[in-house]
Amino acid sequence: MSAITLIARDELRLMRRNRVAVIAFALLVLLTLAAALISWSHQSGIAETRARFQAQAAEAFEAQPDRHPHRMVHFGNFIFRPLPPLAAFDPGVDAFTGNSIFLEGHRQNSANFGDVRQSSLLVRFGQLTPAFVLQVIAPLLLIFLGYGTVARERERGTLRQMLVQGVSARALVMGKLLALAMVAALVGLPALIAFLLIAGQPGALAGPMAVIALGYGAYLALWSIIVILVSALVRRGRDALLALLALWAVLVILLPRVAPDIAAQAHSLPTRLETDIAIQQDLHRLGDAHNPDDPFFNAFKQKVLRRYGVDKVEDLPVNYNGLLAVEGEKLTSGLFDDYADRSFAIQQAQSRLTDGFGIISPAISLRQLSMAAAGTDLAGHRRFLAQAEAYRYAMVQHLNQLQADAVSYADDKAKDAGADQRKRISADHWQAIPQFRFIAPTAGDLVTASLPGLGLLLAWLALALLALLPVARHLQKARP
């Protein structure tokens, strides 16, 4: 049996005899299992609730009686964001971004009803999920189990004896690291089992699952190395514990909270009120469809008359009001898309700056990897918004075209007693509008999005491994 294996076995035996360590390990296992069950139950409840509300919204829309098409444009419809399969492992930004959108004509509404707005401030610290336990709690356990692995040998004077007996410092460091790495593997095992159970549902993709497993394995291995490095560099176990706790507080707690604030200051996002005012100003500059003397819409009317070869809108074979609604929606939607793209560009810049802090915090790199592979990051939310807007635009324009084709201009302008009934069209038209179907990203898309975070995490791991060599040489010359 090699010296590395003997040292690792002896270290594991010492950890087993430490009641505090055993109790802490058992508590973490229970916490991981509880997190998995709570997260699974929470996400399953959310998914069921959203599916139920989506069905109710679709039923209410299709149950509308015969109406004027433009009434249906303003009646609108609700759609709800479906949860990706891995959201129970890492819900990402879902609690912050909202999950439902009201679709109507002439407006692009934002997502509403995020959990953060309806829950306590504890949600902002982090939801109890397997991802949270592995990112935050697991490194803390490794610190308490491993802070004295090498420093203890210095304090007891056994380090010098081992070196004199022919045990190399490299074998000592690798043995201690092997023992702590085995503990880290056991720490991650319950979360991995929970992850596999969560990912066993339909729609889970093998590629992103493998990336997540690799990322969290590298993260726990990195913390094992960090603990051994600090323990080897510090003479006393107490000093090693304090240094590691300070490091954990900065890398895992402080930086992931401070980085978004710095990004928000560097790339300021306009408030909702400022955006709404700017949009209204731009809409006013576009023109007023209800003003017969408006230059833009007067030119549009002349273009329509020339296209159909008539002199008056009353002579058109289609309803001019419907054509006007189609053109107006095209203009306003283009303006809304422009503002949405600007807002998302700022959010992307904030996200890139925040992710850039992964250079100095592996927890940020892991979080970016985890959310990207699970499909719960900002890009995943943006994907939902883009598809929702495409569906809204198609639905509204379909109804506007129905006004142009199925309602006569004369009836549209009429004010007599029977005019309202003549303007109505069959409810079969909106019952035929297909329901919203979210198109999930492919495995390749999710893996590609997670590669920057994985690259930073592996770079951290490589640097930590390289740092073991000079530390081992330093120990070789150590004195009690």
Side-chain angles (χ1 to χ4, degrees):
M1 189 177 293
S2 68
I4 294 176
T5 306
L6 286 171
I7 293 170
R9 190 175 67 176
D10 182 64
E11 189 65 36
L12 288 172
R13 184 168 59 249
L14 289 174
M15 290 182 185
R16 245 188 349 260
R17 291 175 179 174
N18 186 338
R19 290 185 179 180
V20 175
V22 172
I23 293 173
F25 177 78
L27 288 176
L28 182 67
V29 171
L30 291 176
L31 182 62
T32 303
L33 295 176
L37 291 175
I38 291 172
S39 182
W40 171 258
S41 175
H42 181 64
Q43 300 299 327
S44 297
I46 289 176
E48 189 275 332
T49 300
R50 293 183 189 180
R52 184 174 72 253
F53 285 156
Q54 184 67 80
Q56 291 176 0
E59 182 180 354
F61 184 82
E62 294 175 358
Q64 293 306 298
D66 296 352
R67 280 191 172 188
H68 190 287
H70 202 67
R71 291 286 183 90
M72 292 303 296
V73 168
H74 287 285
F75 180 81
N77 200 357
F78 279 97
I79 62 170
F80 294 81
R81 180 189 180 191
L83 287 172
L86 299 181
F89 181 81
D90 189 345
V93 301
D94 184 72
F96 300 85
T97 54
N99 52 65
S100 67
I101 301 179
F102 179 59
L103 308 181
E104 59 179 324
H106 321 312
R107 289 183 63 85
Q108 269 189 14
N109 295 311
S110 59
N112 294 309
F113 304 113
D115 287 349
V116 164
R117 299 184 181 95
Q118 307 171 73
S119 306
S120 69
L121 292 177
L122 290 177
V123 176
R124 296 181 182 273
F125 178 74
Q127 296 172 279
L128 185 59
T129 64
F132 175 80
V133 172
L134 291 181
Q135 291 173 20
V136 178
I137 309 300
L140 194 58
L141 176 64
L142 293 177
I143 288 172
F144 279 107
L145 291 178
Y147 74 90
T149 49
V150 181
R152 182 181 60 246
E153 306 293 350
R154 283 181 184 272
E155 288 184 296
R156 293 178 179 177
T158 54
L159 175 59
R160 179 69 173 172
Q161 295 176 11
M162 295 174 68
L163 295 178
V164 169
Q165 291 174 1
V167 178
S168 68
R170 181 175 299 180
L172 175 67
V173 170
M174 295 307 297
K176 302 288 188 179
L177 177 59
L178 177 60
L180 196 57
M182 292 175 68
V183 173
L186 291 175
V187 167
L189 184 60
L192 179 61
I193 294 173
F195 174 59
L196 293 176
L197 292 176
I198 289 172
Q201 59 185 314
L205 303 171
M209 289 171 57
V211 171
I212 289 176
L214 176 61
Y216 279 92
Y219 182 71
L220 293 178
L222 172 63
W223 270 104
S224 299
I225 297 173
I226 291 174
V227 171
I228 296 298
L229 283 173
V230 174
S231 183
L233 291 171
V234 178
R235 287 187 173 275
R236 295 185 300 177
R238 183 183 63 184
D239 296 337
L241 178 60
L242 292 175
L244 285 167
L245 288 177
L247 199 61
W248 172 83
V250 171
L251 296 182
V252 178
I253 303 298
L254 183 61
L255 283 176
R257 268 60 186 178
V258 171
D261 293 334
I262 295 175
Q265 290 295 325
H267 303 282
S268 180
L269 188 67
T271 65
R272 177 67 180 271
L273 179 60
E274 291 172 336
T275 301
D276 286 345
I277 292 174
I279 288 176
Q280 290 303 317
Q281 290 174 341
D282 286 348
L283 285 174
H284 181 72
R285 283 191 286 268
L286 279 177
D288 183 2
H290 300 288
N291 180 6
D293 298 323
D294 182 86
F296 176 84
F297 285 99
N298 187 51
F300 171 75
K301 181 175 72 172
Q302 297 305 318
K303 184 173 68 172
V304 170
L305 294 176
R306 287 195 300 270
R307 185 198 311 165
Y308 287 94
V310 296
D311 297 325
K312 299 183 298 182
V313 293
E314 290 81 1
D315 298 332
L316 288 170
V318 293
N319 186 345
Y320 177 71
N321 286 342
L323 298 181
L324 202 59
V326 169
E327 182 66 14
E329 188 65 39
K330 178 181 176 182
L331 291 173
T332 56
S333 293
L335 179 62
F336 293 145
D337 287 342
D338 180 55
Y339 272 90
D341 290 341
R342 289 188 221 171
S343 176
F344 185 65
I346 296 174
Q347 294 177 60
Q348 277 188 314
Q350 292 177 344
S351 182
R352 284 194 298 268
L353 182 55
T354 300
D355 293 341
F357 278 84
I359 297 175
I360 55 177
S361 172
I364 293 178
S365 299
L366 179 65
R367 186 178 61 181
Q368 189 269 333
L369 174 155
S370 183
M371 292 192 301
T376 56
D377 58 350
L378 178 63
H381 178 63
R382 173 64 175 176
R383 186 180 295 110
F384 167 68
L385 294 181
Q387 293 185 28
E389 170 54 21
Y391 177 82
R392 183 203 72 84
Y393 183 74
M395 178 189 73
V396 171
Q397 290 295 59
H398 177 73
L399 292 170
N400 287 333
Q401 194 62 49
L402 282 175
Q403 181 182 1
D405 297 335
V407 180
S408 71
Y409 183 75
D411 288 338
D412 226 2
K413 302 293 286 186
K415 302 292 185 181
D416 59 87
D420 182 69
Q421 191 62 37
R422 294 196 304 272
K423 298 175 187 179
R424 296 171 181 255
I425 64 173
S426 172
D428 294 339
H429 290 94
W430 27 93
Q431 292 172 357
I433 296 176
Q435 295 184 19
F436 174 75
R437 291 288 183 269
F438 178 71
I439 302 174
T442 65
D445 293 334
L446 296 177
V447 170
T448 301
S450 65
L451 289 181
L454 180 61
L456 278 176
L457 205 55
L458 294 178
W460 266 92
L461 186 60
L463 289 174
L465 286 171
L466 289 175
L468 287 174
L469 299 177
V471 168
R473 287 196 295 268
H474 170 74
L475 277 180
Q476 196 70 42
K477 304 173 183 178
R479 291 291 184 271

